[in-house]
Amino acid sequence: MRPGLRTALFLAPATAWLLVMLVMPLVVVIVFSFGERGAAGGYVPAFTLDNYANLGARWTAFRNTLTLAPLGTVLCLLIAWPLAYFLALKADPRWRTVLLILVIVPFWTSLLIRSYAWIQILGGSGLPRIIADLGLGKPRLINTPFAVMVGIVYGYLPLMVFPIYVALEKLDRRLLEASGDLGSPPWRTVLQVTLPLSMAGVATGSMLVFILLMGEFLVPQILGGGKVFFVGNALVDLFLQSRNWPFGAAVAATLVAVMLVTVTLYMRAIRRLSGGRDDVALM
Amino acid sequence: MQSQPIAELRKVTKRYGAVTAASGLDLAILPGEFLSFLGPSGCGKTTALRMLAGFEEATEGEVLIDGQVVNGVPPHRRPVNMVFQQYALFPHLTVAQNVAYGLNQRRPKLPKAEVAAEVARALDMVRLPEFGDRRIWEMSGGQQQRVALARAIINRPKILLLDEPMAALDKKLRHDMQIELKSLQRELGITFVLVTHDQEEALSMSDRICIMDQGRIAQIATPEELYDRPQSRYVADFVGRSNFIPAKVTGHDGGLVVAEAAGALRVLARGDAALPPGAAITLSLRPEEITLATAQEGIEAEVTHRIFLGEHTEYHLKSPSLGTLVAVAPRASEARNGALAPGARVRLHWRDGAALALKDG
Ligand SMILES: Nc1ncnc2c1ncn2[C@@H]1O[C@H](COP(=O)(O)OP(=O)(O)OP(=O)(O)O)[C@@H](O)[C@H]1O
Ligand SMILES: [Mg+2]
């Protein structure tokens, strides 16, 4: 068999899958986004730019998504990196597996149920009550951006921890010794060697978390109580409640476009940070 | 006058749990010398080196560098640098940035121009002047080794530690690097401590060699001394090759030990004048000391194998009285006298004092 043909055969299933599952729905969304809403909702073929002109009506959702998704990613990163560092380089190898399992354990229950648990913790009779009893004021936590952020970090942390852990785990320990040998104190070695060499994991983890957060709707729904909503919530509303499919499609298409741009910019930045190494480029 | 040692190990023992990697090491390293740790795998060479670098702490005993006890001093505060076995170059930095790493750790920071000048000088020294902007993975193994060397000497350490730096290079390249390393050491005047299990490497480069055996120092001496006067069978066997013949001291004669081997064979051997008559010894006889002749006198033997090695030929022999022996004949003498085929009957000779008497036990 010719190598070209063999490669084509190997790639055929993936190509078919991509066509059916990704390209076709995307085409449908784009076509819908230029259409009109029928009298009873749904889609009526047309060609109008009204849906896009109307995007401003959902500006708040976009603003929330575009601020809270990057912020959530950064918070996950700031918490996950030290955790992964500890797990990979400092934890006693005998305990490492147990600790890693502890990081995944929350995944064994649905995020929906775990988010409800957070309602109890952040709600009136939870943390705020304790804070009030301590005489430190009467803060409102539930249905705030803070609550959404807590839910996001809680839910997505493992997705950030694992890729970074893997990158640090395969890091050659002698590089750290070499750094020390050349006169660098341990904390500076972390900044000058460990961190740059974990960039592959950082890139993968951030990408996973960021992309998922851009489409997030569950956590804002439950912990944001309709006050802090994402584009994902707007889409749920437009497709399922008001049945304005064309407008929903325009919102969805715009979200995809925004995501493409941010992800591209982000990849460029990471590549520059890691010194142009190709293996860092992606996963 | 003996100068003050640049580094010392005083009764240093290192244990990993139940494993004793180094035990009772006593050693003074002199300024400017090229010292090698030589020994088989697992004998504790790397452990000794890592205790000097500060990556491992001695379980017992003291490590001194430049007269100061450095037990507990972390690696980044020790005036020594190391060339790692697989080089451990930073993959995220260019060649020049790797070399500059040591200088960039100085506080207060050095001016950029000064760092650049030093880096250029170091790269010149290892003959890689044009490679500063390259990435590590764009360099060959030999080039990477030079980068590692440049990186390690840029801070002008008091001691340069090298852990099997040439193990990954092919034979020809290794030979060139050995010569280069030696001349670099002369040029810099830095003390070099090398770990190797390649005896040829140790013999050709070192001022002194420290032979290790299961975590202990078997002997420290110059290469010539080790070869000519090994203190034990272990050293005689490890440095070069030797034939070992059990014997018994019968007396002394003009500075030589008179020994009796294989019942009636009288051998005059070099050795300790204090060896008492009757003491059990082992005679060590280098293969190149044995000459093969077809004459009538001498020890009887039969050639079992002939191995042609170019400059010399190796003969494996079986002697009714001494057992199996190895002899080496230079090609020139073989060409003159004719080669001996397996099965040939020969007589063995060696001069008085060729054998060395080693006390047993
Ligand atoms: N971190 C460690 N934990 C437990 N045992 C160790 C450790 N490092 C070394 N050892 C043991 O100590 C002994 C000496 O090891 P070392 O690395 O010094 O040997 P070496 O002479 O350098 O051998 P090689 O030529 O194979 O590199 C070995 O038995 C080794 O298994
Ligand atoms: Mg070793």
Side-chain angles (χ1 to χ4, degrees), chain B residues 189-209:
Chain B
I190 295 176
T191 308
F192 276 34
V193 177
L194 174 85
V195 159
T196 180
H197 59 246
D198 178 347
Q199 56 148 310
E200 211 174 295
E201 187 170 297
L203 289 174
S204 66
M205 298 170 75
S206 320
D207 296 318
R208 286 196 305 157
I209 300 175

Side-chain angles (χ1 to χ4, degrees), chain A:
Chain A
M1 214 186 292
R2 283 183 303 122
L5 189 60
R6 196 174 341 169
T7 313
L9 274 178
F10 265 122
L11 290 179
T15 313
W17 192 85
L18 275 178
L19 268 177
V20 175
M21 306 302 264
L22 190 78
V23 177
M24 273 176 29
L26 198 60
V27 169
V28 170
V29 166
I30 290 169
V31 169
F32 273 28
S33 71
F34 293 107
E36 276 172 1
R37 181 179 189 266
Y43 166 73
V44 177
F47 186 81
T48 166
L49 292 176
D50 286 356
N51 295 317
Y52 286 97
N54 209 16
L55 278 178
R58 297 290 171 166
W59 165 240
T60 327
F62 274 103
R63 195 196 54 204
N64 284 343
T65 305
L66 284 174
T67 50
L68 296 181
L71 184 65
T73 310
V74 169
L75 282 179
C76 275
L77 183 57
L78 290 180
I79 297 169
W81 203 91
L83 182 57
Y85 178 81
F86 172 80
L87 287 173
L89 293 163
K90 298 287 168 199
D92 186 333
R94 278 171 301 177
W95 287 99
R96 195 166 290 156
T97 320
V98 176
L99 293 172
L100 278 172
I101 290 173
L102 283 182
V103 174
I104 337 177
V105 159
F107 267 149
W108 293 351
T109 324
S110 132
L111 181 60
L112 183 75
I113 292 165
R114 285 179 288 138
S115 297
Y116 271 108
W118 275 105
I119 293 189
Q120 301 306 315
I121 299 172
L122 298 176
S125 49
L127 264 182
R129 170 87 163 273
I130 297 172
I131 295 173
D133 285 352
L134 290 173
L136 297 172
K138 218 171 170 335
R140 231 181 78 85
L141 297 180
I142 197 70
N143 301 346
T144 62
F146 171 78
V148 173
M149 216 40 24
V150 167
I152 280 172
V153 169
Y154 169 77
Y156 290 92
L157 195 62
L159 288 182
M160 189 69 96
V161 171
F162 271 89
I164 300 176
Y165 171 82
V166 170
L168 289 174
E169 158 79 349
K170 66 179 186 212
L171 177 77
D172 183 353
R173 309 296 141 103
R174 269 173 317 183
L175 294 177
L176 308 180
E177 288 187 345
S179 172
D181 183 62
L182 290 165
S184 166
W187 66 268
R188 226 192 287 151
T189 297
V190 171
L191 294 180
Q192 293 177 153
V193 179
T194 321
L195 187 60
L197 288 178
S198 71
M199 273 304 163
V202 169
T204 309
S206 311
M207 207 48 66
L208 276 175
V209 171
F210 180 71
I211 290 174
L212 289 176
L213 282 187
M214 288 290 276
E216 178 64 35
F217 65 93
L218 193 67
V219 173
Q221 171 90 34
I222 298 173
L223 295 176
K227 294 207 170 61
V228 185
F229 44 88
F230 278 31
V231 175
N233 303 92
L235 291 176
V236 171
D237 172 45
L238 286 171
F239 278 95
L240 302 181
Q241 257 89 56
S242 43
R243 290 182 48 79
N244 190 345
W245 290 8
F247 187 39
V251 171
T254 309
L255 183 65
V256 169
V258 168
M259 203 130 61
L260 272 178
V261 171
T262 28
V263 166
T264 312
L265 289 179
Y266 178 76
M267 302 281 288
R268 284 237 183 103
I270 284 282
R271 196 183 294 231
R272 196 161 326 123
L273 270 181
S274 58
R277 277 200 308 159
D278 290 333
D279 58 320
V280 170
L282 191 60
M283 311 172 194

Side-chain angles (χ1 to χ4, degrees), chain B residues 78-159:
Chain B
R78 294 193 185 192
V80 303
N81 284 123
M82 181 137 158
V83 175
F84 289 79
Q85 188 164 353
Q86 300 299 330
Y87 316 138
L89 295 170
F90 302 119
H92 60 301
L93 302 178
T94 63
V95 166
Q97 287 167 337
N98 263 279
V99 176
Y101 197 90
L103 286 180
N104 285 332
Q105 305 314 314
R106 301 255 185 98
R107 295 294 180 272
K109 285 196 171 192
L110 296 177
K112 276 214 172 76
E114 191 179 321
V115 172
E118 284 290 324
V119 168
R121 248 162 50 94
L123 284 175
D124 259 346
M125 220 174 253
V126 297
R127 303 199 287 113
L128 291 174
E130 305 297 322
F131 290 81
D133 293 329
R134 287 253 203 134
R135 291 273 159 192
I136 296 307
W137 65 88
E138 297 167 344
M139 308 287 279
S140 73
Q143 291 169 335
Q144 290 189 15
Q145 207 230 6
R146 288 156 195 273
V147 177
L149 208 55
R151 184 179 72 170
I153 59 174
I154 200 147
N155 270 340
R156 299 294 152 121
K158 295 230 161 78
I159 308 172

Side-chain angles (χ1 to χ4, degrees), chain B residues 40-321:
Chain B
S41 187
C43 70
K45 308 177 296 285
T46 298
T47 303
L49 203 68
R50 289 174 60 83
M51 287 192 289
L52 284 168
F55 298 130
E56 307 289 353
E57 281 300 331
T59 316
E60 282 164 29
E62 284 179 331
V63 179
L64 285 88
I65 294 175
D66 217 12
Q68 306 283 317
V69 176
V70 292
N71 293 48
V73 176
H76 68 276
R77 297 224 191 82
R78 294 193 185 192
V80 303
N81 284 123
M82 181 137 158
V83 175
F84 289 79
Q85 188 164 353
Q86 300 299 330
Y87 316 138
L89 295 170
F90 302 119
H92 60 301
L93 302 178
T94 63
V95 166
Q97 287 167 337
N98 263 279
V99 176
Y101 197 90
L103 286 180
N104 285 332
Q105 305 314 314
R106 301 255 185 98
R107 295 294 180 272
K109 285 196 171 192
L110 296 177
K112 276 214 172 76
E114 191 179 321
V115 172
E118 284 290 324
V119 168
R121 248 162 50 94
L123 284 175
D124 259 346
M125 220 174 253
V126 297
R127 303 199 287 113
L128 291 174
E130 305 297 322
F131 290 81
D133 293 329
R134 287 253 203 134
R135 291 273 159 192
I136 296 307
W137 65 88
E138 297 167 344
M139 308 287 279
S140 73
Q143 291 169 335
Q144 290 189 15
Q145 207 230 6
R146 288 156 195 273
V147 177
L149 208 55
R151 184 179 72 170
I153 59 174
I154 200 147
N155 270 340
R156 299 294 152 121
K158 295 230 161 78
I159 308 172
L160 185 70
L161 307 169
L162 304 110
D163 191 358
E164 310 221 12
M166 276 152 316
L169 305 182
D170 65 56
K171 199 171 170 190
K172 170 84 174 62
L173 196 55
R174 199 182 317 166
H175 190 72
D176 293 347
M177 263 329 280
Q178 286 169 5
I179 294 170
E180 230 172 278
L181 205 59
K182 187 71 194 166
S183 63
L184 187 70
Q185 192 235 353
R186 262 186 234 117
E187 199 176 323
L188 291 168
I190 295 176
T191 308
F192 276 34
V193 177
L194 174 85
V195 159
T196 180
H197 59 246
D198 178 347
Q199 56 148 310
E200 211 174 295
E201 187 170 297
L203 289 174
S204 66
M205 298 170 75
S206 320
D207 296 318
R208 286 196 305 157
I209 300 175
C210 174
I211 305 274
M212 302 209 31
D213 176 17
Q214 294 178 27
R216 295 174 186 283
I217 296 177
Q219 188 174 354
I220 311 173
T222 64
E224 290 80 3
E225 248 178 87
L226 282 177
Y227 193 81
D228 295 338
R229 283 189 300 282
Q231 282 169 0
S232 60
R233 178 177 173 153
Y234 175 83
V235 175
D237 201 19
F238 201 79
V239 180
R241 307 170 59 184
S242 220
N243 295 294
F244 296 105
I245 303 161
K248 205 169 72 190
V249 178
T250 56
H252 293 269
D253 181 0
L256 293 177
V257 177
V258 186
E260 199 181 72
L265 182 64
R266 186 170 175 272
V267 179
L268 284 171
R270 289 170 292 130
D272 193 346
L275 281 171
I281 55 168
T282 299
L283 293 171
S284 161
L285 186 63
R286 297 288 184 195
E288 68 271 17
E289 299 280 6
I290 301 179
T291 49
L292 308 177
T294 41
Q296 287 309 301
E297 318 83 80
I299 300 144
E300 267 184 72
E302 185 192 322
V303 175
T304 55
H305 294 283
R306 171 180 178 268
I307 302 165
F308 178 64
L309 293 168
E311 307 153 37
H312 57 260
T313 305
E314 198 176 288
Y315 286 101
H316 291 214
L317 307 158
K318 212 168 112 199
S319 151
S321 52

